[in-house]
Each structure stands twice: as C-alpha cells, then as structure tokens.
Amino acid sequence: MAFDLLTQFSRLFFPKNCEACGKNLLKKETMLCTDCLYHIPKTKYHELKDNPLNRLFYGITNITYATAFFYFHKASKYRILIHKLKYNGQKEIGIELGRMAGTEIAGSFFDETNLIIPVPLHPAKKRLRGYNQSEMIALGLSETSGKELRTDILIRQKYTETQTKKNLEERRKNVSSAFKVIKPEILSGKHILLIDDVATTGSTLIACAEELLKTENVKVSVLVLAYAEQ
Ligand SMILES: [Zn+2]
C-alpha cells in the first residue's frame, strides 16, 4: 500500500524531458525517452554465474550471484542518471531504475534471493543528502520483485571519506568495520540481495558482505545499478 502511494507520488516528480538526453518525453514515456530506454548498455550479468563483477569478490568474500543493471562507461549519457540520483536530489531516478532492474532480473538465479538490504549511508551523510540513494534503488526493486526490504538490520557506524581517489587496498581499509549488523536473528536462513548504486572495486560491497556473512546460514548476492570496469 505504502509502495503504491510512493510510486504514484514519485511519478509526479518526473519532468517532461528525458533524464538522459534531454529530449521531450511523450505522454507514455517515464524518465527516459524510448530511444534511451532501448539503448541502456545492460550487462546481462544476471544470466551468467561467472562474470566480471562476480570476479571482483573471488577469493575475498563469498558472494553467490552478482549483477549490474548497466555499464558505467566514461562518455556514456547514462552516467548523468547516477549523478542526478546522488548529487542532485532526484531520488525518483533511483526508484525508477530500481524498478527496471527488478524487471530485468526476474526469472533468473536472483529469484533465490528473499531479502533486500541496501548499502547503508552514515546517518550524518543521509541527513546531508536527504536520502540514501541505494535505499531508493532498493525501494523500486522491492516493488517489482515483491521481495522484502529492510533498512534496519545493516547500519553504517563509521563516517568514511570519499573513495574516489583511493586504490583498492586504501578503499578496503577505509571501509573496514564501517558496517554493523544489529538484528542478526532476522538474517538467519535468508539469501540477501545487497544493493548499491555503483560498483568500481567492490570494496564497499565486500565490507557489507563480510559483516552480513558473520551470521550463520546466510547467503549474499549483489545487485548494483552500474558497474564501472577498471
Ligand atoms: Zn533520451
């Protein structure tokens, strides 16, 4: 019920132009024009158990499945979607892309997952931004997949500096012990779908997964909106 209201509410916020190319939208189009929608550089990683994103985790932590909705190419017009979601207050872009990602993975290995958990932001950062962008993606994903979404189990207890200029080792050190599970009893027996906006080295996802996997009888899979190949 709450989701339905949220959906309708969020649709009101979309302007009349395509969020990727700026072209005028037709009435039946939402957020993206048909051309941009059709050309999203999808990874299709949900169809491959072994893929470049999953390989980031090999030998480090036990991620069951990993996928990204699309590639995060340098010159891509789709980068602006992530930028607007993270820095321009347009949380509805996250919700809509989350819905699309949910539709994309339906019928794949990811059907085995049964609990959606977004990578948390530190409360101070969330206040600053007004929302957690990963939570917005998770909201849309939960809506189209029907999977339960929880934001009260995995928390961020450390305010980390930006990761952008750090190498893998520095990134891992930066986020280690940043996350904490506060209700492990809810996780037991679950196959968690961990959600983030962009994966580059995977260090944030690794830190979250390591914390989630401390509970027995838990599996962790990963879905990110965009994968930036190194
Ligand atoms: Zn467009």
Side-chain angles (χ1 to χ4, degrees):
M1 195 55 187
F3 279 158
D4 290 347
L5 280 175
L6 188 72
T7 307
Q8 287 171 18
F9 193 61
S10 75
R11 288 208 193 276
L12 296 177
F13 283 95
F14 284 115
K16 302 256 183 311
N17 296 81
C18 172
E19 295 287 3
C21 74
K23 212 173 80 180
N24 280 338
L25 288 183
L26 303 172
K27 245 193 186 134
K28 59 174 175 37
E29 295 170 334
T30 309
M31 188 175 82
L32 293 175
C33 68
T34 306
D35 193 48
C36 287
L37 189 64
Y38 186 78
H39 289 106
I40 292 175
K42 294 179 181 177
T43 69
K44 300 278 181 188
Y45 287 167
H46 62 282
E47 297 170 359
L48 304 164
K49 280 187 185 171
D50 176 31
N51 63 57
L53 181 61
N54 217 343
R55 269 173 239 148
L56 290 179
F57 310 115
Y58 286 179
I60 300 172
T61 189
N62 191 10
I63 299 295
T64 307
Y65 309 122
T67 191
F69 184 36
F70 58 86
Y71 292 107
F72 197 64
H73 297 310
K74 273 218 166 70
S76 167
K77 63 182 171 183
Y78 298 92
R79 276 179 79 102
I80 198 172
L81 297 174
I82 304 287
H83 190 88
K84 287 174 173 176
L85 166 63
K86 285 179 83 165
Y87 308 112
N88 202 32
Q90 292 178 257
K91 58 183 175 186
E92 67 281 0
I93 288 180
I95 300 173
E96 185 66 15
L97 288 172
R99 286 185 190 115
M100 290 160 67
T103 307
E104 178 78 2
I105 62 168
S108 72
F109 310 122
F110 285 83
D111 285 358
E112 292 170 31
T113 62
N114 51 18
L115 181 66
I116 298 174
I117 295 186
V119 168
L121 280 185
H122 188 275
K125 206 164 193 171
K126 188 171 172 178
R127 260 197 308 280
L128 212 63
R129 188 170 288 166
Y131 57 91
N132 172 358
Q133 72 278 6
S134 299
E135 199 176 315
M136 295 304 118
I137 300 160
L139 262 178
L141 189 78
S142 171
E143 188 191 296
T144 46
S145 67
K147 297 181 201 293
E148 188 187 3
L149 161 65
R150 296 288 296 248
T151 57
D152 58 339
I153 297 172
L154 182 67
I155 60 156
R156 193 166 198 141
Q157 54 184 358
K158 201 165 110 184
Y159 196 104
T160 51
E161 318 155 41
T162 175
Q163 300 267 69
T164 336
K165 298 229 159 60
K166 293 180 169 26
N167 67 29
L168 177 61
E169 204 42 52
E170 289 167 339
R171 282 176 185 230
R172 290 203 59 195
K173 211 175 272 174
N174 192 33
V175 291
S176 77
S177 71
F179 303 98
K180 191 173 165 40
V181 165
I182 48 170
K183 293 174 183 171
E185 66 280 3
I186 292 168
L187 295 182
S188 187
K190 292 286 200 292
H191 186 158
I192 297 156
L193 184 52
L194 184 61
I195 309 296
D196 206 359
D197 50 1
V198 180
T200 307
T201 61
S203 53
T204 304
L205 293 160
I206 290 167
C208 287
E210 281 175 344
E211 184 60 28
L212 291 166
L213 289 165
K214 284 179 183 166
T215 304
E216 272 183 48
N217 197 18
V218 163
K219 283 185 182 178
V220 177
S221 286
V222 161
L223 181 144
V224 297
L225 271 190
Y227 172 46
E229 292 163 290
Q230 290 286 286

